[in-house]
Structure formats: C-alpha cells, structure tokens
Amino acid sequence: MRAAADRDRGADGLCGAGEVSVRFAGYAAVFDCPDRGGDVVRAGAFAGARGVPLLWQHRGRAVGRIEMLGEDARGLRVIGRVEEPELAALVAGGGVTGLSFGYRVRAMRQRTYRELINLDLIEVSLVAQPMQPLARIHAVVREKEESE
C-alpha cells in the first residue's frame, strides 16, 4: 500500500491538490509488550470498544475517523481515515507512523508492570512518538477526489 502512496506523491512530496483523505491500518495497542511507561495491555482489555474519534496527539478536534477497530491476536487493530489535509500528507509520506489510544482504567493488576486488563477506550490518536514503540501504522492508501 505504501508503494502506491509513494508513486502518487506530488513533486513537493505532499498530497496532490485533489487529495481528500488517506486511509490507514495499524495497531493502536500491542498486547503483552511493555510500553515506555511500564504498562502492559492484556488481550480482552478493549472488549466492547466502539465509536471513538481519531485525534492528533490526543488533543483537539477530530482529524478524521476510525472506520473499524477490534482486537485480534496481536492487539487493537484499527482502520481509519485522516481528513485533515496537512496531517494526511504526513501520513501518506511516512512522516507520521505512530498510533496511541486514550483510556480510563476499569481493571488492572500491579506486578512488575501495570497490567491493563479492562479499559474504557476514549480515543485513538495519530502520534509522533507512541508510548508503545510497536503501535504503528502498517498500511496506507491515498484516495483522490472524483472528477466531476
């Protein structure tokens, strides 16, 4: 998918004039791997999660939308669409690849790491430096505006 983004990039390396959005897929959380803050998300922590906004750096208004989210064997997989043009250009060009999530803890265990067992998912964010280094975008598709 990223190869198509590279091929379609304009001379300035940014999205073309007709670009309206960029779709991406990736993991906002990876199970059983400690993050930089000492938290470990466990499988099942996001049970029942749905309908959250897509933010930039956990702040402000939505910059797009989350089209699909759900747990798989690896973690919390998301498919989203970035609709803010400058951020879409960065995602399409590989300048922003980090993902993260905002949450409230419902249940946890304190061991060597803080184990997050049950969470209320509040939002998913595109970030410059994720707390979980493995939480990354792994596929990008640029979508152009239809000709009238």
Side-chain angles (χ1 to χ4, degrees):
M1 289 177 132
R2 201 171 294 283
D6 291 342
R7 183 184 65 242
D8 295 338
R9 193 175 305 135
D12 60 0
L14 301 177
C15 296
E19 184 103 26
V20 292
S21 66
V22 171
R23 288 186 82 209
F24 68 89
Y27 284 88
V30 176
F31 297 142
D32 305 324
C33 294
D35 70 12
R36 293 179 177 125
D39 289 340
V40 175
V41 179
R42 297 297 187 202
F46 299 102
R50 62 179 162 275
V52 298
L54 177 65
L55 304 180
W56 168 240
Q57 298 282 124
H58 303 288
R59 292 189 291 272
R61 64 176 177 74
V63 295
R65 63 185 182 273
I66 298 298
E67 297 176 345
M68 189 284 299
L69 65 88
E71 289 190 8
D72 65 15
R74 183 166 191 242
L76 181 64
R77 187 166 189 273
V78 298
I79 296 174
R81 182 180 305 271
V82 184
E83 296 169 338
E84 196 286 320
E86 290 179 23
L87 188 54
L90 288 169
V91 171
V96 170
T97 62
L99 289 169
S100 187
F101 62 96
Y103 62 96
R104 287 188 192 101
V105 176
R106 296 181 61 95
M108 54 82 68
R109 268 191 303 254
Q110 188 64 54
R111 295 193 174 159
T112 303
Y113 297 102
R114 184 172 76 150
E115 296 180 27
L116 304 175
I117 299 166
N118 188 352
L119 302 173
D120 284 333
L121 183 64
I122 306 300
E123 51 88 8
V124 171
S125 282
L126 294 160
V127 295
Q129 292 292 322
M131 285 291 283
Q132 172 51 260
L134 300 174
R136 298 285 176 177
I137 292 171
H138 62 255
V140 175
V141 174
R142 295 167 41 140
E143 296 183 346
K144 299 270 185 190
E145 200 171 272
E146 297 276 333
S147 298
E148 294 185 27

